[in-house]
Each structure stands twice: as C-alpha cells, then as structure tokens.
Amino acid sequence: MTVELLRKPKIINVGARNFHDSLKAQGADSVHVDWRPPAGGDREMVALLDKLKKI
Amino acid sequence: MVTKSRVCKGEYRDSIFLMRISQQLGSLDGVQQTSVIMATDANKELLRDAGTFTDEVARAGPNDLAIVVDAVSPERAEEAISKAMEMMAEAVKERAEEAEAVYKTLDSAAGASPDSNLVLISVPGAFAAREAERALELGKHVMIFSDGVSVEDEIRLKRLGKEKGMLVMGPDCGTAIINGIGLGFANVVKRGPVGVVAASGTGAQEVASLISAGPGISHVIGTGGRDLSDEVGGITMLMGLRALAADPETETIVLISKPPSPEVAKRVLKAASEVGKPTVVNFLGGDPKIIEEAGLTPAITLEDAAAKVIALQRGGKPRSVTFSADSDEIKKTAEREYGKIQPHQRYIRGIYSGGTFCSEAMLIARDLVGDVYSNVPLKPELKLEDSNTSKEHTFVDMGEDEFTVEIGKPHPMIYHELRQKRILQEASDPETAVLLLDAVLGYGAHEDPAGALAPTLREAKKIAGKEERYLPVIASVCGTLQDPQNLTAQEKKLKDAGVVLMPSNAQAARMAALIVTRGGAWNKIVRR
C-alpha cells in the first residue's frame, strides 16, 4: 500500500494553512481543509455526534 | 503599561497562523507582549497568569479569536491591534484571489480528491486522533504533526493503520519527506538513493540535510517520538522499514531514534537486518554493540550516521567524522577563541531550538567536559532546579513545553524572542565561556533565523565586552542550499556577527568543548 504513496504523494492538508502553502510552493499535489473545531469545540458533544454517526 | 484587547467572534484560525501574527506584532515599537489566540479555557488561563486578562476576553469562547496587546501606551496597543486585523484581512483577500477550492471537512476534500493518499493533520491535539481515524477509514496514510495525542490513541491508530496497510506517522511527527516533497518542517533536499526512518524531527532534518550534500535522499519517514516505546512497539518504524525495503529508489537506509526499549530494539534491528540493504542505525546515546551484532552499522551522532551511509552508498568503508576541517585549522580556530577568554569564564551554555540537537550536544560534551545540567538532562540528578537559571555547564532545550505551549509561546524554530532573552542573560553571566547554538532552516521554520539571532549575538558580545570579557559563540545551521532561507546566506549572517560556524551540531559541540577546556579536550576528541 505504501508503494503508491512513495511514488507520488497526493496530500490533503487538515489544519495549518502554512503547510499547504509550503506544499504548493514545492509543486506538490495538495488540497486544503479549512478545519474548525466541530460542535463549537465542545468535546463531549463531538463524542456524542460521532457515536450517532456510527449507528 | 496598558493592556488592550479585541475579540473577533466566530473567527477560527489555525495556531501557526496565529503565532506568525503574534510574532510580527511583538516586533512593533512600544509593544511589550502580544497574544493572538483562540479564546479556549486553557488560553484564557495563560492570559490570566500573564496578567493580561481583560473583561472582553472573559466573555469570549473557544470559537472566538482574541488579540491581546500589552504596550507602553493605549495608542501603541491600538496600532498593534489594527495591524493584526490588517494581516488577517490580507490573508482572507489572498485566499479569495487564489480562487482555489478549500474544503470544510476531510470527507469533502477526500470526495473532491479521491486519489489523494496522505492526510497531513495539524489540528489541536484533542481533535487530531478523530481526523486521523477518519483518514485511515478512508484508506489514506496519515501524518499527525499535532502533539497532545494520548498514547492510547496512538496505539489504537497505529494498530488500525497496520491492519489496513496504512502508515501512521506521528503523533508529534515534525518532519517527513516523501519523494522529494517536504511535509511539516522539512528541508529541500536533493533526490537520491538514501532512505531514512526517524523518530526525531530535527534528527531527521540534520541527517537528510547532510546526505543531501552527498548522494541525496529518497524518502524520510517520520514515526513520532513514542513509536519505539514498549507500549507502541515500533509499529511505524517497522512499517517504514518495510516500505523502504520495497522501494526501488532506496538503496541504503538510516534509522534514527533515542535508545528504544530492549524488546523493540531487538525487533527493529532484526527487521532491518532482513531488509538486505546496507543500513546505518543511530540510537542516540545507545549501545552500539547490539547494532553491530545485528550486522548493521552503528553511528554515534547524526552526522556520523550521514557520513557512514554516504560511505556505504559509495561502496566505501564507513568511518567516523570528528571534524571536517584539518586538525591544524581546528586547533587554530579554538586557540584564537580561548586565547581571548578570562580564567573565570568556565562554562558552556547551549541554547537550543532542536530537542535532539540539545541531547546530542550533551552526549558529546559529557565525555569531554563532564556533567551538563539541563531542563532535559541525561541523568535525573542533572536537572536544573529552575530552567530559567543556568548552573555550570548548562544546555537548554527551548522547544520544551515549559517554554512553549505551557506559557502560550510559539516554538523557537519559528519564534526567537525567548531564545534571544536567554542568550543575553548568559552573556551577562561572568562564568559563561562559550555560547553554543543551533539554527534550523527549511519549510515551516522561521523565514530568517540567522537574521533574527545575529543582532542578539552582536549585543551579547558587546555585553561581555563591557566587562572586559570576550564571548565565543559557536553555532551550526541545519539546512540545505535549496532551502528557502539558503544555508550559505544564513551561515554568512552568523559569521558576520562573529560566530564560529561548524558544519554539524556534533562538530559545534566538540568545538565548544575544545574552547572551554582551553584545548584540553583535543586528545579525548581524536582518541574517539
């Protein structure tokens, strides 16, 4: 499974925009996720939502 | 002093972006302290501790961005706040002009880019495992840059990754280079036949940069610092080794880690010996015997690992490096420096941004000058009582949590204020004989570390000079000619400030020892 990765990494960047910009500057294939804390950063609510998703 | 704040409701920005704004505001005239943060409970606590908590911030929540400025006058504080608002607006405008698709969630990005194969995660630690798990479920490899992920989550994620045949690099994986593409904090390296698997970010950067000047790098796979512990069992290092074994571009391999648990060491060395590609192993400060017994080549330092793998790659016999320049030149440089110091200047003060550099330098210095005190000591009894106050030979890792997250400051690889203060503090101490430093280049790092350090180092020399002391400064720069900051340009800035530049962290530590012992360490160095 790693063969494809080492041949050509295609990246999804989740978080720091700076890393996506660096990847682009290197000519890498990268898409950026403008991540925000789910459920307004309420961790208990996040855990609950994740549980619901799995049902 | 006046404290002013502004809260931007519902304005989430990533921590690296916020650090950069904070850093820029800090350099404005009349500004003493700035915090540009998300108003989480933990961050509010930091402001309270710093005495810069305001009523406005008290009312803000974790999704609100707070700009807090401590300045000499209300006008100066307002100026700084306006500057921050401008910078944020500018970033928004830039994004809008780029017209590039930006996604709200990992799932939507994966939907739009179905053949993506690696997810780089740098969200706050509390949410990183959640994103990583989703990435693995989607069948993608993962690099978790974030720290603050529990070891239980790490084990769970790595087991899941193993089951699915996916690499989980990290958590707390600062550096990886995949087929020439640097991820996180990474140097721009020449492509070549040497593959690296490393449990240390700066360790990987030093080895990759040095090899880049020789045959070049195929890949650097990061594992995160806990991978080779008993609990995690080296899952990522073993998978990384297998990946490099199967990779046709990789002809020789380097493994870097702190000494692993004996069980894990055995497993990793056995796997490495079965790969069938010449392999150099650096278990920093560990026993070289077990490596030799596995039929592999041990290396004592990061530079040693680079030099040995370069020799193996060229079909030569691996030999250790002590100094690159010839003996006479080294002795002359050391003499020139120690000839000017006073008898009461007796101690080395190492002020580091890279944790592995600090450990490596301590291991070298310990054998040449004796005990070294530290906030990350080699032995518990050598722990500094107060990390802010040096004692005898002291090497400080300024990247530790106590100097960064715990006081709300960015890492010294992107922010120099605390290191600058510490340098001046050591310069004022009449017992300081040598300052020893690192500077790290590459993507992710400060855009001009030498430019930030040089004025401080000039000032440090001046402080010592006023008291009739001469202050030698020894440094090494980790980076390549292709890095955005350019190795040669960075080295020149430091040289122009009177710094003795050494080609590696290990050589810098040896030079510092040579100076502080007035040449006495020479025989020990060449005997090794």
Side-chain angles (χ1 to χ4, degrees):
Chain A
M1 292 294 266
T2 51
V3 175
E4 189 57 31
L5 171 73
L6 298 188
R7 209 172 57 78
K8 190 172 187 344
K10 273 199 85 173
I11 299 133
I12 298 178
N13 180 58
V14 185
R17 171 75 199 204
N18 178 251
F19 289 156
H20 172 67
D21 293 340
S22 297
L23 287 165
K24 283 287 181 191
Q26 298 174 72
D29 205 331
S30 168
V31 295
H32 181 59
V33 175
D34 187 18
W35 186 91
R36 273 143 214 261
D42 182 338
R43 290 181 67 187
E44 275 173 39
M45 185 61 84
V46 174
L48 199 65
L49 288 174
D50 284 348
K51 236 181 230 169
L52 284 173
K53 222 193 264 173
K54 282 184 180 162
I55 292 173
Chain B
M1 205 56 58
V2 201
T3 304
K4 289 261 174 198
S5 63
R6 172 112 28 115
V7 169
C8 308
K9 285 265 169 208
E11 189 81 39
Y12 182 86
R13 297 298 172 97
D14 72 74
S15 59
I16 293 185
F17 180 79
L18 296 176
M19 279 176 195
R20 285 181 188 269
I21 294 191
S22 202
Q23 184 202 330
Q24 297 235 352
L25 298 189
S27 61
L28 295 177
D29 268 350
V31 173
Q32 288 290 324
Q33 230 190 90
T34 57
S35 306
V36 186
I37 48 164
M38 299 309 299
T40 59
D41 288 344
N43 284 337
K44 286 204 251 182
E45 200 56 45
L46 289 173
L47 293 177
R48 221 175 260 129
D49 291 347
T52 55
F53 197 60
T54 65
D55 290 345
E56 198 184 11
V57 174
R59 289 191 297 270
N63 270 349
D64 304 332
L65 190 155
I67 306 162
V68 185
V69 179
D70 225 15
V72 292
S73 68
E75 294 75 30
R76 292 290 187 196
E78 285 298 343
E79 265 173 40
I81 289 174
S82 305
K83 170 89 181 157
M85 300 296 286
E86 257 170 50
M87 287 171 69
M88 292 199 311
E90 211 166 292
V92 170
K93 202 171 139 229
E94 269 173 32
R95 304 288 172 255
E97 281 166 4
E98 275 166 11
E100 184 189 274
V102 167
Y103 302 91
K104 291 283 175 214
T105 64
L106 171 55
D107 278 273
S108 56
S113 178
D115 56 345
S116 55
N117 50 21
L118 174 64
V119 179
L120 170 55
I121 298 166
S122 54
V123 304
F127 299 98
R130 184 177 183 265
E131 299 296 327
E133 186 172 353
R134 186 64 194 136
L136 292 171
E137 281 167 1
L138 290 166
K140 302 189 191 300
H141 303 280
V142 176
M143 170 169 166
I144 309 170
F145 178 86
S146 321
D147 58 3
V149 175
S150 72
V151 73
E152 291 77 20
D153 277 338
E154 176 170 355
I155 293 166
R156 186 173 57 81
L157 290 167
K158 286 187 170 173
R159 287 189 181 154
L160 178 63
K162 189 177 165 189
E163 199 184 294
K164 293 181 170 284
M166 298 295 157
L167 271 178
V168 178
M169 298 188 274
D172 203 8
C173 175
T175 300
I177 301 173
I178 305 292
N179 200 5
I181 302 295
L183 296 137
F185 284 58
N187 302 92
V188 183
V189 296
K190 186 172 93 186
R191 296 277 294 124
V194 184
V196 179
V197 190
S200 141
T202 41
Q205 286 192 269
E206 173 95 331
V207 170
S209 295
L210 294 169
I211 295 171
S212 181
I217 292 288
S218 60
H219 312 282
V220 175
I221 294 171
T223 69
R226 286 189 306 224
D227 188 65
L228 280 81
S229 64
D230 256 333
E231 301 116 289
V232 185
I235 294 176
T236 304
M237 185 158 280
L238 290 167
M239 285 180 74
L241 246 176
R242 258 171 242 134
L244 294 183
D247 175 43
E249 304 294 321
T250 303
E251 294 167 15
T252 49
I253 296 172
V254 182
L255 303 182
I256 304 160
S257 165
K258 286 181 288 197
S261 79
E263 246 338 279
V264 177
K266 218 185 281 171
R267 229 177 296 156
V268 167
L269 293 172
K270 182 169 181 288
S273 65
E274 288 165 0
V275 165
K277 298 184 182 183
T279 300
V280 176
V281 183
N282 175 20
F283 287 155
L284 208 59
D287 181 6
K289 219 184 289 161
I290 52 166
I291 299 166
E292 265 165 9
E293 281 166 9
L296 308 168
T297 306
I300 296 161
T301 64
L302 300 166
E303 179 180 40
D304 202 29
K308 283 179 171 162
V309 84
I310 291 171
L312 287 176
Q313 183 62 41
R314 291 178 176 153
K317 194 173 161 349
R319 287 168 58 176
S320 293
V321 184
T322 45
F323 287 113
S324 313
D326 70 47
S327 304
D328 286 344
E329 199 179 313
I330 293 294
K331 281 185 184 165
K332 217 186 282 168
T333 305
E335 252 171 55
R336 191 190 65 215
E337 296 291 313
Y338 67 72
K340 290 184 269 188
I341 59 178
Q342 303 285 345
H344 61 265
Q345 291 182 264
R346 288 156 56 207
Y347 300 119
I348 308 176
R349 298 289 156 80
I351 317 292
Y352 282 91
S353 63
T356 301
F357 289 146
C358 186
S359 303
E360 183 186 60
M362 285 197 288
L363 286 165
I364 291 168
R366 173 183 70 178
D367 293 344
L368 302 174
V369 304
D371 285 348
V372 177
Y373 289 87
S374 178
N375 59 333
V376 287
L378 296 174
K379 289 189 284 187
E381 60 268 33
L382 295 174
K383 187 158 174 68
L384 287 171
E385 260 170 54
D386 171 6
S387 298
N388 290 304
T389 311
S390 296
K391 177 180 173 184
E392 300 174 16
H393 298 297
T394 289
F395 290 22
V396 195
D397 174 9
M398 303 283 300
E400 273 292 291
D401 287 357
E402 62 187 311
F403 294 114
T404 55
V405 286
E406 281 173 20
I407 54 168
K409 297 286 182 194
H411 194 277
M413 264 156 67
I414 54 178
Y415 168 87
H416 287 95
E417 199 184 303
L418 290 183
R419 205 147 84 113
Q420 287 163 335
K421 279 189 187 151
R422 185 62 177 251
I423 287 168
L424 298 180
Q425 182 184 321
E426 302 301 345
S428 307
D429 183 344
E431 292 196 316
T432 303
V434 189
L435 281 182
L436 179 58
L437 307 166
D438 63 343
V440 182
L441 313 183
Y443 282 113
H446 189 278
E447 66 269 17
D448 182 14
L453 289 170
T456 307
L457 295 171
R458 284 199 180 90
E459 174 72 17
K461 283 179 174 271
K462 220 182 271 171
I463 290 172
K466 270 187 201 145
E467 293 168 22
E468 314 273 301
R469 281 180 284 119
Y470 173 75
L471 182 62
V473 183
I474 316 298
S476 71
V477 182
C478 169
T480 69
L481 295 173
Q482 297 79 24
D483 278 332
Q485 302 92 338
N486 186 285
L487 179 63
T488 312
Q490 290 288 304
E491 287 186 331
K492 183 171 184 307
K493 281 186 192 181
L494 291 175
K495 265 186 213 155
D496 289 348
V499 175
V500 176
L501 249 300
M502 299 304 288
S504 71
N505 181 58
Q507 293 193 38
R510 286 187 198 108
M511 178 56 86
L514 205 51
I515 291 170
V516 82
T517 58
R518 277 75 171 163
W522 181 259
N523 287 337
K524 276 191 197 165
I525 291 173
V526 290
R527 223 185 296 138
R528 286 182 65 86

mmCIF file of all heavy atoms in Angstrom, chain B residues 169-198:
data_model
loop_
_atom_site.group_PDB
_atom_site.id
_atom_site.type_symbol
_atom_site.label_atom_id
_atom_site.label_comp_id
_atom_site.label_asym_id
_atom_site.label_seq_id
_atom_site.Cartn_x
_atom_site.Cartn_y
_atom_site.Cartn_z
ATOM 1 N N MET B 169 2.309 8.211 10.573
ATOM 2 C CA MET B 169 3.500 8.949 11.015
ATOM 3 C C MET B 169 3.059 9.915 12.103
ATOM 4 O O MET B 169 2.176 10.728 11.896
ATOM 5 C CB MET B 169 4.121 9.692 9.832
ATOM 6 C CG MET B 169 4.591 8.757 8.716
ATOM 7 S SD MET B 169 5.533 9.603 7.435
ATOM 8 C CE MET B 169 4.214 10.176 6.361
ATOM 9 N N GLY B 170 3.677 9.811 13.280
ATOM 10 C CA GLY B 170 3.266 10.636 14.409
ATOM 11 C C GLY B 170 2.373 9.865 15.354
ATOM 12 O O GLY B 170 2.263 8.649 15.203
ATOM 13 N N PRO B 171 1.724 10.508 16.317
ATOM 14 C CA PRO B 171 1.639 11.953 16.546
ATOM 15 C C PRO B 171 2.981 12.585 16.895
ATOM 16 O O PRO B 171 3.944 11.881 17.171
ATOM 17 C CB PRO B 171 0.680 12.050 17.734
ATOM 18 C CG PRO B 171 0.585 10.705 18.311
ATOM 19 C CD PRO B 171 0.979 9.726 17.289
ATOM 20 N N ASP B 172 2.977 13.922 16.852
ATOM 21 C CA ASP B 172 4.158 14.716 17.127
ATOM 22 C C ASP B 172 5.266 14.384 16.124
ATOM 23 O O ASP B 172 6.424 14.302 16.475
ATOM 24 C CB ASP B 172 4.634 14.482 18.569
ATOM 25 C CG ASP B 172 5.474 15.640 19.082
ATOM 26 O OD1 ASP B 172 5.541 16.662 18.376
ATOM 27 O OD2 ASP B 172 6.070 15.508 20.165
ATOM 28 N N CYS B 173 4.857 14.165 14.872
ATOM 29 C CA CYS B 173 5.829 13.919 13.811
ATOM 30 C C CYS B 173 6.071 15.254 13.099
ATOM 31 O O CYS B 173 5.191 15.764 12.424
ATOM 32 C CB CYS B 173 5.281 12.884 12.833
ATOM 33 S SG CYS B 173 6.359 12.619 11.407
ATOM 34 N N GLY B 174 7.247 15.833 13.309
ATOM 35 C CA GLY B 174 7.522 17.167 12.782
ATOM 36 C C GLY B 174 7.960 17.168 11.326
ATOM 37 O O GLY B 174 7.765 18.156 10.620
ATOM 38 N N THR B 175 8.555 16.060 10.886
ATOM 39 C CA THR B 175 9.222 16.054 9.583
ATOM 40 C C THR B 175 8.983 14.771 8.803
ATOM 41 O O THR B 175 9.101 13.676 9.361
ATOM 42 C CB THR B 175 10.755 16.182 9.792
ATOM 43 O OG1 THR B 175 11.021 17.391 10.469
ATOM 44 C CG2 THR B 175 11.498 16.164 8.479
ATOM 45 N N ALA B 176 8.663 14.909 7.537
ATOM 46 C CA ALA B 176 8.703 13.766 6.614
ATOM 47 C C ALA B 176 9.027 14.320 5.228
ATOM 48 O O ALA B 176 8.721 15.481 4.922
ATOM 49 C CB ALA B 176 7.370 13.027 6.600
ATOM 50 N N ILE B 177 9.689 13.515 4.425
ATOM 51 C CA ILE B 177 9.937 13.888 3.029
ATOM 52 C C ILE B 177 9.550 12.676 2.190
ATOM 53 O O ILE B 177 10.123 11.593 2.358
ATOM 54 C CB ILE B 177 11.421 14.256 2.786
ATOM 55 C CG1 ILE B 177 11.836 15.426 3.687
ATOM 56 C CG2 ILE B 177 11.647 14.611 1.319
ATOM 57 C CD1 ILE B 177 13.333 15.747 3.644
ATOM 58 N N ILE B 178 8.542 12.839 1.364
ATOM 59 C CA ILE B 178 8.094 11.714 0.545
ATOM 60 C C ILE B 178 8.342 12.063 -0.918
ATOM 61 O O ILE B 178 7.773 13.018 -1.439
ATOM 62 C CB ILE B 178 6.582 11.421 0.769
ATOM 63 C CG1 ILE B 178 6.274 11.198 2.257
ATOM 64 C CG2 ILE B 178 6.153 10.210 -0.061
ATOM 65 C CD1 ILE B 178 6.831 9.957 2.884
ATOM 66 N N ASN B 179 9.205 11.287 -1.534
ATOM 67 C CA ASN B 179 9.572 11.504 -2.940
ATOM 68 C C ASN B 179 9.879 12.979 -3.224
ATOM 69 O O ASN B 179 9.368 13.577 -4.168
ATOM 70 C CB ASN B 179 8.439 10.993 -3.852
ATOM 71 C CG ASN B 179 8.958 10.731 -5.265
ATOM 72 O OD1 ASN B 179 10.156 10.845 -5.532
ATOM 73 N ND2 ASN B 179 8.065 10.388 -6.173
ATOM 74 N N GLY B 180 10.714 13.560 -2.374
ATOM 75 C CA GLY B 180 11.166 14.937 -2.592
ATOM 76 C C GLY B 180 10.233 16.006 -2.049
ATOM 77 O O GLY B 180 10.578 17.177 -2.035
ATOM 78 N N ILE B 181 9.060 15.607 -1.605
ATOM 79 C CA ILE B 181 8.104 16.587 -1.076
ATOM 80 C C ILE B 181 8.233 16.655 0.447
ATOM 81 O O ILE B 181 8.019 15.663 1.139
ATOM 82 C CB ILE B 181 6.651 16.202 -1.443
ATOM 83 C CG1 ILE B 181 6.464 16.084 -2.959
ATOM 84 C CG2 ILE B 181 5.657 17.185 -0.835
ATOM 85 C CD1 ILE B 181 6.643 17.375 -3.716
ATOM 86 N N GLY B 182 8.572 17.845 0.960
ATOM 87 C CA GLY B 182 8.729 18.015 2.399
ATOM 88 C C GLY B 182 7.388 18.283 3.063
ATOM 89 O O GLY B 182 6.618 19.125 2.604
ATOM 90 N N LEU B 183 7.120 17.554 4.151
ATOM 91 C CA LEU B 183 5.866 17.733 4.892
ATOM 92 C C LEU B 183 6.180 18.239 6.285
ATOM 93 O O LEU B 183 7.086 17.732 6.937
ATOM 94 C CB LEU B 183 5.127 16.403 4.989
ATOM 95 C CG LEU B 183 4.668 15.824 3.647
ATOM 96 C CD1 LEU B 183 4.930 14.339 3.586
ATOM 97 C CD2 LEU B 183 3.192 16.107 3.434
ATOM 98 N N GLY B 184 5.427 19.232 6.762
ATOM 99 C CA GLY B 184 5.690 19.795 8.079
ATOM 100 C C GLY B 184 6.951 20.637 8.033
ATOM 101 O O GLY B 184 7.115 21.471 7.140
ATOM 102 N N PHE B 185 7.861 20.393 8.973
ATOM 103 C CA PHE B 185 9.136 21.105 8.999
ATOM 104 C C PHE B 185 10.132 20.267 8.214
ATOM 105 O O PHE B 185 10.586 19.241 8.695
ATOM 106 C CB PHE B 185 9.626 21.263 10.435
ATOM 107 C CG PHE B 185 8.902 22.326 11.205
ATOM 108 C CD1 PHE B 185 7.529 22.276 11.369
ATOM 109 C CD2 PHE B 185 9.597 23.385 11.762
ATOM 110 C CE1 PHE B 185 6.863 23.258 12.071
ATOM 111 C CE2 PHE B 185 8.927 24.369 12.469
ATOM 112 C CZ PHE B 185 7.562 24.316 12.623
ATOM 113 N N ALA B 186 10.467 20.686 7.011
ATOM 114 C CA ALA B 186 11.348 19.827 6.207
ATOM 115 C C ALA B 186 12.249 20.659 5.320
ATOM 116 O O ALA B 186 11.880 21.734 4.854
ATOM 117 C CB ALA B 186 10.508 18.880 5.361
ATOM 118 N N ASN B 187 13.447 20.130 5.107
ATOM 119 C CA ASN B 187 14.410 20.803 4.244
ATOM 120 C C ASN B 187 14.200 20.385 2.798
ATOM 121 O O ASN B 187 13.651 19.321 2.519
ATOM 122 C CB ASN B 187 15.828 20.449 4.691
ATOM 123 C CG ASN B 187 16.054 20.835 6.138
ATOM 124 O OD1 ASN B 187 15.857 20.034 7.032
ATOM 125 N ND2 ASN B 187 16.392 22.080 6.358
ATOM 126 N N VAL B 188 14.641 21.242 1.901
ATOM 127 C CA VAL B 188 14.560 20.925 0.483
ATOM 128 C C VAL B 188 15.830 20.141 0.136
ATOM 129 O O VAL B 188 16.932 20.685 0.179
ATOM 130 C CB VAL B 188 14.472 22.198 -0.374
ATOM 131 C CG1 VAL B 188 14.313 21.831 -1.836
ATOM 132 C CG2 VAL B 188 13.307 23.055 0.096
ATOM 133 N N VAL B 189 15.669 18.866 -0.145
ATOM 134 C CA VAL B 189 16.838 18.003 -0.328
ATOM 135 C C VAL B 189 16.970 17.536 -1.770
ATOM 136 O O VAL B 189 15.990 17.506 -2.522
ATOM 137 C CB VAL B 189 16.772 16.764 0.598
ATOM 138 C CG1 VAL B 189 16.824 17.176 2.058
ATOM 139 C CG2 VAL B 189 15.525 15.928 0.328
ATOM 140 N N LYS B 190 18.200 17.167 -2.082
ATOM 141 C CA LYS B 190 18.465 16.572 -3.390
ATOM 142 C C LYS B 190 17.910 15.143 -3.385
ATOM 143 O O LYS B 190 18.042 14.424 -2.393
ATOM 144 C CB LYS B 190 19.987 16.550 -3.598
ATOM 145 C CG LYS B 190 20.423 16.093 -4.962
ATOM 146 C CD LYS B 190 21.930 16.306 -5.111
ATOM 147 C CE LYS B 190 22.691 15.055 -4.719
ATOM 148 N NZ LYS B 190 24.142 15.244 -4.719
ATOM 149 N N ARG B 191 17.269 14.755 -4.493
ATOM 150 C CA ARG B 191 16.758 13.394 -4.575
ATOM 151 C C ARG B 191 17.913 12.431 -4.749
ATOM 152 O O ARG B 191 18.894 12.724 -5.427
ATOM 153 C CB ARG B 191 15.801 13.271 -5.764
ATOM 154 C CG ARG B 191 14.571 14.122 -5.646
ATOM 155 C CD ARG B 191 13.480 13.473 -4.811
ATOM 156 N NE ARG B 191 12.935 12.278 -5.435
ATOM 157 C CZ ARG B 191 12.891 11.081 -4.854
ATOM 158 N NH1 ARG B 191 13.382 10.931 -3.641
ATOM 159 N NH2 ARG B 191 12.373 10.048 -5.465
ATOM 160 N N GLY B 192 17.807 11.255 -4.146
ATOM 161 C CA GLY B 192 18.890 10.288 -4.229
ATOM 162 C C GLY B 192 18.493 8.953 -3.636
ATOM 163 O O GLY B 192 17.307 8.702 -3.415
ATOM 164 N N PRO B 193 19.469 8.100 -3.350
ATOM 165 C CA PRO B 193 19.168 6.709 -3.001
ATOM 166 C C PRO B 193 19.083 6.382 -1.511
ATOM 167 O O PRO B 193 18.933 5.221 -1.160
ATOM 168 C CB PRO B 193 20.351 5.959 -3.627
ATOM 169 C CG PRO B 193 21.487 6.933 -3.540
ATOM 170 C CD PRO B 193 20.899 8.315 -3.608
ATOM 171 N N VAL B 194 19.209 7.382 -0.616
ATOM 172 C CA VAL B 194 19.233 7.061 0.816
ATOM 173 C C VAL B 194 17.862 7.308 1.453
ATOM 174 O O VAL B 194 17.330 8.410 1.377
ATOM 175 C CB VAL B 194 20.304 7.890 1.568
ATOM 176 C CG1 VAL B 194 20.364 7.457 3.033
ATOM 177 C CG2 VAL B 194 21.663 7.761 0.915
ATOM 178 N N GLY B 195 17.322 6.278 2.097
ATOM 179 C CA GLY B 195 16.043 6.390 2.793
ATOM 180 C C GLY B 195 16.262 6.497 4.292
ATOM 181 O O GLY B 195 17.196 5.911 4.829
ATOM 182 N N VAL B 196 15.406 7.274 4.963
ATOM 183 C CA VAL B 196 15.557 7.496 6.406
ATOM 184 C C VAL B 196 14.238 7.173 7.102
ATOM 185 O O VAL B 196 13.170 7.548 6.610
ATOM 186 C CB VAL B 196 15.935 8.974 6.696
ATOM 187 C CG1 VAL B 196 16.078 9.223 8.195
ATOM 188 C CG2 VAL B 196 17.202 9.384 5.955
ATOM 189 N N VAL B 197 14.317 6.463 8.228
ATOM 190 C CA VAL B 197 13.156 6.364 9.117
ATOM 191 C C VAL B 197 13.588 6.957 10.454
ATOM 192 O O VAL B 197 14.587 6.513 11.024
ATOM 193 C CB VAL B 197 12.667 4.915 9.332
ATOM 194 C CG1 VAL B 197 11.321 4.924 10.065
ATOM 195 C CG2 VAL B 197 12.551 4.172 8.025
ATOM 196 N N ALA B 198 12.864 7.956 10.950
ATOM 197 C CA ALA B 198 13.339 8.687 12.120
ATOM 198 C C ALA B 198 12.236 8.938 13.128
ATOM 199 O O ALA B 198 11.129 9.319 12.772
ATOM 200 C CB ALA B 198 13.943 10.020 11.695
#
